[in-house]
Amino acid sequence: MIQHTYENAKKSKLIHEIIIAVDDTKIYDVVSSFGAKAVMTDKNFNSGSDRIAFVATKIPDAEIIVNIQGDEPFIEGKMIDEAISPFLFDKSVKVTTLVKKITDIKELKSPSVPKVVFDYNNYALYFSRSIIPHVRDAKTMIEMFHSADFYKHIGLYVYKRETLLKFTNLKQTDLEKTEKLEQLRLLEHGIPIKVVETEYDTFSVDTPEDLKKARKYYERLIKEKNKRKT
């Protein structure tokens, strides 16, 4: 899975170097076996962001840091470039992330799919596991689904170096603890998050059920690829 994630990340045209932060010698050996660069980190870090920040301190020349989770085997290189692109045109941007319009009512109802609302300048207003925005006049879930646009958050982040280091030194905040969404720590401390809408989709593999889903999805991708060759 981590090799798929790495190979897809390599398709990005804007990333200069990919480093995989690991906390286990077995994973370190696997990463090294397929030619990727790995850095061993402490097992006691609370989050992936802390792990990424630790590696960033060892690379003083890295101005922009992309945090790609290792359990995202279907991440697209183009998605990564979409998230990086605001930094190329606006020096005021501190953090970016991706959002995608929800087209499946199951995702809308699922607490495991974080939702996001954002302003007219594409800055996040709030992230939640609940359905946001709430459509007050909708009498049913189906009516709500067709009455507004809903967006899910895709957990790929791009940080300015100093913002990442500041973020990981901040204490957990109340809303972050309540929703179990670490990006709320940024918003609660007044650090704006620029969101970029993507047409691409991906999903993380967190459970055995996710793994089954990923394998079926991968088999389908292989079949489609083989059809295009014939």
Side-chain angles (χ1 to χ4, degrees), residues 72-83:
E72 295 273 0
F74 305 110
I75 196 78
E76 293 274 354
K78 291 179 181 178
M79 295 172 70
I80 298 169
D81 291 344
E82 287 174 340

PDB file of all heavy atoms in Angstrom, residues 72-83:
ATOM      1  N   GLU A  72      -2.873   6.231   1.505  1.00  0.00           N
ATOM      2  CA  GLU A  72      -3.663   6.790   0.398  1.00  0.00           C
ATOM      3  C   GLU A  72      -3.145   6.226  -0.929  1.00  0.00           C
ATOM      4  O   GLU A  72      -2.568   6.952  -1.747  1.00  0.00           O
ATOM      5  CB  GLU A  72      -3.573   8.314   0.387  1.00  0.00           C
ATOM      6  CG  GLU A  72      -4.187   9.004   1.584  1.00  0.00           C
ATOM      7  CD  GLU A  72      -5.671   9.271   1.392  1.00  0.00           C
ATOM      8  OE1 GLU A  72      -6.207   8.910   0.335  1.00  0.00           O
ATOM      9  OE2 GLU A  72      -6.288   9.844   2.302  1.00  0.00           O
ATOM     10  N   PRO A  73      -3.324   4.920  -1.180  1.00  0.00           N
ATOM     11  CA  PRO A  73      -2.719   4.296  -2.368  1.00  0.00           C
ATOM     12  C   PRO A  73      -3.269   4.794  -3.697  1.00  0.00           C
ATOM     13  O   PRO A  73      -2.666   4.527  -4.741  1.00  0.00           O
ATOM     14  CB  PRO A  73      -3.028   2.806  -2.175  1.00  0.00           C
ATOM     15  CG  PRO A  73      -4.251   2.778  -1.309  1.00  0.00           C
ATOM     16  CD  PRO A  73      -4.101   3.948  -0.386  1.00  0.00           C
ATOM     17  N   PHE A  74      -4.394   5.517  -3.673  1.00  0.00           N
ATOM     18  CA  PHE A  74      -4.989   5.975  -4.932  1.00  0.00           C
ATOM     19  C   PHE A  74      -4.849   7.483  -5.131  1.00  0.00           C
ATOM     20  O   PHE A  74      -5.523   8.061  -5.973  1.00  0.00           O
ATOM     21  CB  PHE A  74      -6.464   5.553  -4.989  1.00  0.00           C
ATOM     22  CG  PHE A  74      -6.658   4.077  -4.786  1.00  0.00           C
ATOM     23  CD1 PHE A  74      -7.237   3.589  -3.628  1.00  0.00           C
ATOM     24  CD2 PHE A  74      -6.214   3.159  -5.728  1.00  0.00           C
ATOM     25  CE1 PHE A  74      -7.395   2.229  -3.423  1.00  0.00           C
ATOM     26  CE2 PHE A  74      -6.362   1.803  -5.542  1.00  0.00           C
ATOM     27  CZ  PHE A  74      -6.953   1.325  -4.375  1.00  0.00           C
ATOM     28  N   ILE A  75      -3.974   8.086  -4.353  1.00  0.00           N
ATOM     29  CA  ILE A  75      -3.729   9.519  -4.522  1.00  0.00           C
ATOM     30  C   ILE A  75      -3.189   9.767  -5.932  1.00  0.00           C
ATOM     31  O   ILE A  75      -2.405   8.977  -6.463  1.00  0.00           O
ATOM     32  CB  ILE A  75      -2.730  10.021  -3.458  1.00  0.00           C
ATOM     33  CG1 ILE A  75      -2.742  11.544  -3.343  1.00  0.00           C
ATOM     34  CG2 ILE A  75      -1.328   9.523  -3.726  1.00  0.00           C
ATOM     35  CD1 ILE A  75      -3.881  12.081  -2.566  1.00  0.00           C
ATOM     36  N   GLU A  76      -3.627  10.855  -6.541  1.00  0.00           N
ATOM     37  CA  GLU A  76      -3.199  11.198  -7.900  1.00  0.00           C
ATOM     38  C   GLU A  76      -2.123  12.284  -7.850  1.00  0.00           C
ATOM     39  O   GLU A  76      -2.219  13.220  -7.053  1.00  0.00           O
ATOM     40  CB  GLU A  76      -4.383  11.716  -8.716  1.00  0.00           C
ATOM     41  CG  GLU A  76      -5.456  10.681  -8.995  1.00  0.00           C
ATOM     42  CD  GLU A  76      -5.158   9.856 -10.235  1.00  0.00           C
ATOM     43  OE1 GLU A  76      -4.177  10.185 -10.922  1.00  0.00           O
ATOM     44  OE2 GLU A  76      -5.908   8.910 -10.503  1.00  0.00           O
ATOM     45  N   GLY A  77      -1.122  12.174  -8.703  1.00  0.00           N
ATOM     46  CA  GLY A  77      -0.111  13.219  -8.791  1.00  0.00           C
ATOM     47  C   GLY A  77      -0.725  14.575  -9.089  1.00  0.00           C
ATOM     48  O   GLY A  77      -0.287  15.604  -8.574  1.00  0.00           O
ATOM     49  N   LYS A  78      -1.779  14.575  -9.910  1.00  0.00           N
ATOM     50  CA  LYS A  78      -2.450  15.830 -10.266  1.00  0.00           C
ATOM     51  C   LYS A  78      -3.125  16.460  -9.054  1.00  0.00           C
ATOM     52  O   LYS A  78      -3.218  17.689  -8.943  1.00  0.00           O
ATOM     53  CB  LYS A  78      -3.473  15.580 -11.372  1.00  0.00           C
ATOM     54  CG  LYS A  78      -2.844  15.230 -12.718  1.00  0.00           C
ATOM     55  CD  LYS A  78      -3.892  14.969 -13.771  1.00  0.00           C
ATOM     56  CE  LYS A  78      -3.260  14.601 -15.107  1.00  0.00           C
ATOM     57  NZ  LYS A  78      -4.287  14.302 -16.146  1.00  0.00           N
ATOM     58  N   MET A  79      -3.620  15.625  -8.129  1.00  0.00           N
ATOM     59  CA  MET A  79      -4.236  16.148  -6.912  1.00  0.00           C
ATOM     60  C   MET A  79      -3.200  16.889  -6.071  1.00  0.00           C
ATOM     61  O   MET A  79      -3.474  17.967  -5.514  1.00  0.00           O
ATOM     62  CB  MET A  79      -4.839  15.005  -6.084  1.00  0.00           C
ATOM     63  CG  MET A  79      -5.984  14.282  -6.746  1.00  0.00           C
ATOM     64  SD  MET A  79      -6.491  12.805  -5.834  1.00  0.00           S
ATOM     65  CE  MET A  79      -7.242  13.532  -4.384  1.00  0.00           C
ATOM     66  N   ILE A  80      -2.024  16.301  -5.973  1.00  0.00           N
ATOM     67  CA  ILE A  80      -0.944  16.920  -5.207  1.00  0.00           C
ATOM     68  C   ILE A  80      -0.580  18.274  -5.815  1.00  0.00           C
ATOM     69  O   ILE A  80      -0.431  19.276  -5.109  1.00  0.00           O
ATOM     70  CB  ILE A  80       0.279  15.991  -5.174  1.00  0.00           C
ATOM     71  CG1 ILE A  80      -0.080  14.669  -4.481  1.00  0.00           C
ATOM     72  CG2 ILE A  80       1.452  16.664  -4.471  1.00  0.00           C
ATOM     73  CD1 ILE A  80       0.967  13.585  -4.636  1.00  0.00           C
ATOM     74  N   ASP A  81      -0.481  18.311  -7.143  1.00  0.00           N
ATOM     75  CA  ASP A  81      -0.136  19.568  -7.826  1.00  0.00           C
ATOM     76  C   ASP A  81      -1.232  20.619  -7.641  1.00  0.00           C
ATOM     77  O   ASP A  81      -0.936  21.810  -7.518  1.00  0.00           O
ATOM     78  CB  ASP A  81       0.108  19.304  -9.308  1.00  0.00           C
ATOM     79  CG  ASP A  81       1.379  18.499  -9.547  1.00  0.00           C
ATOM     80  OD1 ASP A  81       2.215  18.410  -8.621  1.00  0.00           O
ATOM     81  OD2 ASP A  81       1.525  17.938 -10.653  1.00  0.00           O
ATOM     82  N   GLU A  82      -2.493  20.183  -7.619  1.00  0.00           N
ATOM     83  CA  GLU A  82      -3.594  21.121  -7.380  1.00  0.00           C
ATOM     84  C   GLU A  82      -3.463  21.767  -6.007  1.00  0.00           C
ATOM     85  O   GLU A  82      -3.716  22.966  -5.844  1.00  0.00           O
ATOM     86  CB  GLU A  82      -4.941  20.381  -7.473  1.00  0.00           C
ATOM     87  CG  GLU A  82      -5.351  20.007  -8.886  1.00  0.00           C
ATOM     88  CD  GLU A  82      -6.609  19.160  -8.931  1.00  0.00           C
ATOM     89  OE1 GLU A  82      -6.954  18.541  -7.901  1.00  0.00           O
ATOM     90  OE2 GLU A  82      -7.259  19.113  -9.994  1.00  0.00           O
ATOM     91  N   ALA A  83      -3.075  20.971  -5.020  1.00  0.00           N
ATOM     92  CA  ALA A  83      -2.951  21.495  -3.663  1.00  0.00           C
ATOM     93  C   ALA A  83      -1.754  22.424  -3.514  1.00  0.00           C
ATOM     94  O   ALA A  83      -1.783  23.379  -2.725  1.00  0.00           O
ATOM     95  CB  ALA A  83      -2.846  20.338  -2.667  1.00  0.00           C
TER      96      ALA A  83
END
